[in-house]
Amino acid sequence: MAAQVPIKKACMGVDCPNEAGSLQCPTCLKIGKTSTFCAQDCFKRSWGEHKVVHQAASGGTLHNPFPSFKFTGSLRPVYPLSPRRPIPDHIVKPPWAKDGDPKYKLFQRNKISILDKAGQDAMRKVCRLSREVLDAVAREVRPGVTTDYLDEVCHNACIERNAYPSPLNYMNFPKSFCTSANEVICHGIPDARVLLDGDILNLDVSLYHNGYHGDLNETYYVGPSALNPANINLVETTRECLRLAIETVKPGLPFRDIGNTIEKHAKANKCSVITTYCGHGINTLFHCAPNIPHYAKNKAVGVAKPGMCFTIEPMISAGTHRDRTWPDNWTSVTQDGARTAQFEHTLLVTEEGCEVLTARVEGSPGGKVQMPKVDGEEKVNGEAK
C-alpha cells in the first residue's frame, strides 16, 4: 500500500470543482455513508441527483454512488459495499483496528530504523505470509468474479495465518486489501464490480503479524483479451522497472537515485511515472521513513544501510502521470483515463546488497510475459533487438 501526500477531499456537488468543507449529508450519515459538500447552497443544488444514492443504498441495488462525478475513464464503482469483515479476538491488531487512527505521525524523514536480527527475522516471516496471501488471491483472478469476492479470499487467508490485513480500517479504509483495475493507480476499494476479459488488475496485500508489517503487490492480466500489446508493454515495463531498481539497492545507495533508474526505463518504453505516491519504510510501522520516490531528480533524503526495510513500488502509466482521486477519497486514477500498472516488493538491505523479502516462489500465479514485438522483432528496453 503506497504512501502518499495528504489528499484534499473533493466536494460531491454536481459539477462542483471546489474542495469539500465540513458539511455532510445527514441522510448519508444515517445509512453509514460519508458525503461532503463545500457549502449549503451546493448541497441544495445537487440534491436532485444526490438523493439517488440514498434510494439505491436503502434498496440494496447495485449502483454508482457518485453519479455526478466526472470520471476520467470507463471504470465505475459498484456499490453497496459489503459489510466490514470481522476479525477474530485472538488476532493481534494494529492501533487503527478500532477507530481508524494509526496513532503515530510520520517520523522525521531522516530517522530510519535499523532492525536487529529479531526484527529482521520477524520481517522475513510476515513477508513470507504476505506472499502466500497474494498468491492465494491471484489464483482466483478471472473474468466474472468481483473484487469484493477477492477481498473475502484475502481476508480469510490472512485470518488463517493468524495475521491482520493491515489496510483494514487504516485511516478508515473499508476493506482488507486494495484492488486497482485499469486506470486506477492505487488504493482501489474492492466492490461489486465484475472483472472483465481484457482488464488488468493490481492486487496490493499487506499483513500485520507479531507486531510487523509485510507489503507487496503485483499486476495481473484478466482473461485472454488482456494479453494485447498495449497491456503487455505497460505491465512488463512496470515489472522491469521494479527489477532494475532492486538491482541497484546496496549499502550507500542514495534513495533519490532509485527514481532515476525507474524513470529511465519507463520513458524508454513510452510510459510515465506517477509522482504522487512513493515507496516507504516498513517494520513495526506500516508507513515510515524513508520515502522512496519513483521519479527522476527527486530530493529524497538518506542512503541505504544494512538492516533497513523499505518498499519500492513503481506506478507506471501508459499516458499522463497526473492523478485524480474519486470522491471515496481513496481511489486514485489517471487524469486522462490511461491504464496504469504497479509492482511492489519489501526489501531488507544487507551487507552486500538486498534481500527481497516478498519474492515470488515456485508456483506463484502470474509472472513475466514476453514483450510485444515491433516489425517482427522483440521489443527490449523500448527498442527492437
Side-chain angles (χ1 to χ4, degrees):
M1 195 175 192
Q4 65 187 77
V5 296
I7 293 177
K8 297 176 180 179
K9 294 183 178 182
C11 176
M12 293 184 65
V14 177
D15 296 330
C16 181
N18 298 330
E19 295 175 15
S22 59
L23 178 65
Q24 297 191 51
C25 170
T27 306
C28 282
L29 289 173
K30 291 178 182 177
I31 61 176
K33 295 181 63 65
T34 300
S35 300
T36 51
F37 296 82
C38 63
Q40 187 71 32
D41 288 344
C42 183
F43 177 54
K44 290 180 178 179
R45 176 174 56 82
S46 306
W47 177 252
E49 286 195 29
H50 178 69
K51 66 181 181 182
V52 174
V53 174
H54 309 149
Q55 297 166 355
S58 62
T61 57
L62 299 181
H63 65 285
N64 170 9
F66 314 119
S68 61
F69 181 72
K70 291 185 177 180
F71 292 90
T72 63
S74 60
L75 203 70
R76 299 291 183 274
V78 181
Y79 280 42
L81 297 180
S82 60
R84 177 175 166 178
R85 306 189 197 282
I87 301 291
D89 291 340
H90 72 275
I91 300 292
V92 177
K93 303 169 182 64
W96 55 85
K98 185 175 181 180
D99 60 9
D101 183 1
K103 297 179 177 61
Y104 61 82
K105 303 299 180 183
L106 289 178
F107 282 14
Q108 295 178 354
R109 59 179 180 173
N110 59 348
K111 186 177 181 180
I112 306 172
S113 297
I114 303 291
L115 299 181
D116 59 16
K117 184 180 184 303
Q120 293 177 28
D121 288 343
M123 284 298 298
R124 289 187 177 96
K125 182 172 183 179
V126 70
C127 287
R128 176 177 58 79
L129 296 176
S130 299
R131 164 55 65 182
E132 290 177 4
V133 171
L134 176 62
D135 286 354
V137 180
R139 292 186 183 98
E140 299 299 317
V141 171
R142 59 185 180 276
V145 305
T146 66
T147 51
D148 183 67
Y149 166 71
L150 298 179
D151 183 75
E152 181 181 10
V153 174
C154 176
H155 186 91
N156 291 341
C158 291
I159 300 305
E160 289 169 2
R161 291 162 176 79
N162 289 317
Y164 182 98
S166 300
L168 185 61
N169 210 37
Y170 179 76
M171 300 176 68
N172 303 119
F173 188 80
K175 293 296 177 180
S176 295
F177 82 140
C178 301
T179 54
S180 301
N182 302 339
E183 71 265 24
V184 179
I185 298 167
C186 59
H187 300 160
I189 298 174
D191 63 13
R193 179 184 180 270
V194 172
L195 294 179
L196 303 177
D197 183 19
D199 286 343
I200 57 174
L201 179 69
N202 180 268
L203 306 178
D204 192 341
V205 167
S206 308
L207 267 65
Y208 181 67
H209 180 80
N210 285 347
Y212 287 80
H213 296 273
D215 197 2
L216 79 162
N217 72 59
E218 292 193 23
T219 299
Y220 299 89
Y221 302 95
V222 183
S225 296
L227 292 168
N228 61 65
N231 281 347
I232 294 173
N233 183 69
L234 172 62
V235 173
E236 299 309 320
T237 293
T238 309
R239 193 193 309 271
E240 187 70 359
C241 280
L242 176 58
R243 188 190 69 79
L244 292 170
I246 291 173
E247 284 187 347
T248 69
V249 177
K250 61 182 179 180
L253 172 74
F255 295 126
R256 64 177 179 270
D257 288 356
I258 294 172
N260 297 335
T261 299
I262 292 170
E263 186 164 313
K264 179 180 179 181
H265 187 70
K267 283 187 172 181
N269 288 278
K270 298 183 178 180
C271 295
S272 62
V273 181
I274 303 299
T275 59
T276 301
Y277 305 91
C278 60
H280 53 88
I282 184 168
N283 39 70
T284 57
L285 301 178
F286 192 10
H287 297 102
C288 57
N291 283 344
I292 309 292
H294 304 116
Y295 56 92
K297 299 179 181 179
N298 64 77
K299 297 181 180 179
V301 174
V303 298
K305 296 179 181 179
M308 290 181 176
C309 263
F310 55 85
T311 71
I312 302 178
E313 45 187 302
M315 287 145 273
I316 307 299
S317 169
T320 183
H321 72 277
R322 300 186 184 279
D323 60 284
R324 186 179 185 188
T325 303
W326 283 1
D328 60 21
N329 296 312
W330 279 105
T331 306
S332 178
V333 296
T334 51
Q335 284 191 7
D336 59 359
R339 290 192 169 192
T340 70
Q342 183 186 14
F343 288 85
E344 173 186 20
H345 278 308
T346 296
L347 310 175
L348 170 65
V349 183
T350 64
E351 295 291 342
E352 297 80 23
C354 74
E355 181 179 346
V356 182
L357 301 183
T358 49
R360 292 172 58 83
V361 298
E362 185 177 357
S364 290
K368 187 175 180 179
V369 172
Q370 187 177 23
M371 289 284 279
K373 294 183 178 181
V374 178
D375 296 329
E377 297 292 334
E378 184 181 353
K379 187 177 178 184
V380 178
N381 294 334
E383 300 179 356
K385 279 187 175 179

